[in-house]
Amino acid sequence: MRTSYKGFRMLLVHAHPDDETINNGATMALYADLGADVTLVTCTRGEEGEVLIKDLEHLAAHNTDSLGDHRVEELAVAMKALGISDHRFLGEGRIKYRDSGMMGTEPNNRPDVFWQANFDDATHDLVKVIEEVKPHVLITYDEIGGYGHPDHIQAHRVAMSAAEKSAWNIQKIYWNVMPKSVIQEGI
């Protein structure tokens, strides 16, 4: 491994706040520390996420529907801890798409969710980022989104389409993958 990645650019495309840290946090921190420019694009605020902390249950979508705001704050803290200064939400830097929830759930049918988004518009939003950042490396999910979450699948589809449609040629594209054994344990 090189001792410096100054001048290299990496773009990560993730569906929800915390996905980047869970999947690529160590990678992001390492390359940022070695001088690479690391950009994170997050597609939603993660409003439909599962709340595992009892004191935060009131934030859930079925209660006050304020989990997204909380997760945006957590994401800002995570980016600071990882040394990442370029974070954006897909769609001109503003929060344009809502978390879709899991397949077959009622939130997945909402017209404002990422899974239901106009694919060409979402792709165009990411093409603009690619052409501005000019990444050497793109990291996103595999074609099944790791474990089948619709927003992860959509992030993969949009990232791959944007990479193809962009005038900038990304040299390497990596997909996050999970071993089947890990998925089976989670089920």
Side-chain angles (χ1 to χ4, degrees):
M1 178 180 261
R2 307 164 71 101
T3 58
S4 174
Y5 279 82
K6 190 149 186 69
F8 286 86
R9 296 173 301 279
M10 177 182 291
L11 174 64
L12 297 97
V13 178
H14 281 288
H16 316 106
D18 81 8
D19 292 338
E20 77 296 324
T21 302
I22 292 168
N23 288 291
N24 304 113
T27 301
M28 294 169 71
L30 173 68
Y31 284 98
D33 188 55
L34 291 173
D37 294 321
V38 179
T39 300
L40 170 66
V41 172
T42 306
C43 299
T44 78
R45 297 184 317 149
E47 298 91 341
E48 296 295 332
E50 184 179 4
V51 179
L52 301 175
I53 299 170
K54 187 155 184 61
D55 290 346
L56 299 178
E57 288 178 347
H58 66 282
L59 301 174
H62 64 275
N63 287 328
T64 62
D65 196 21
S66 53
L67 181 61
D69 294 334
H70 183 79
R71 292 184 79 181
V72 168
E73 290 174 20
E74 288 180 335
L75 180 58
V77 170
M79 292 302 91
K80 186 173 182 180
L82 296 175
I84 308 305
S85 59
D86 188 3
H87 167 258
R88 308 146 187 236
F89 282 95
L90 183 63
E92 304 294 328
R94 63 188 172 83
I95 299 164
K96 187 173 182 178
Y97 305 108
R98 183 179 172 91
D99 181 351
S100 302
M102 295 302 288
M103 293 286 197
T105 64
E106 191 53 39
N108 196 253
N109 297 322
R110 290 176 57 137
D112 61 341
V113 298
F114 189 48
W115 181 248
Q116 303 293 343
N118 179 294
F119 184 75
D120 291 334
D121 288 349
T123 298
H124 179 71
D125 289 339
L126 190 56
V127 165
K128 286 195 261 186
V129 174
I130 291 170
E131 292 181 351
E132 175 195 337
V133 171
K134 297 181 176 18
H136 298 99
V137 174
L138 169 67
I139 300 174
T140 192
Y141 308 97
D142 65 7
E143 68 273 16
I144 61 164
Y147 64 95
H149 192 293
D151 290 338
H152 292 208
I153 296 168
Q154 186 78 319
H156 165 83
R157 293 173 58 220
V158 167
M160 298 310 297
S161 178
E164 183 180 309
K165 291 181 178 185
S166 172
W168 176 255
N169 182 30
I170 301 171
Q171 295 171 11
K172 293 184 180 183
I173 298 176
Y174 295 104
W175 295 350
N176 292 312
V177 296
M178 295 174 71
K180 286 181 183 178
S181 60
V182 171
I183 296 171
Q184 288 171 334
E185 281 181 39
I187 293 173

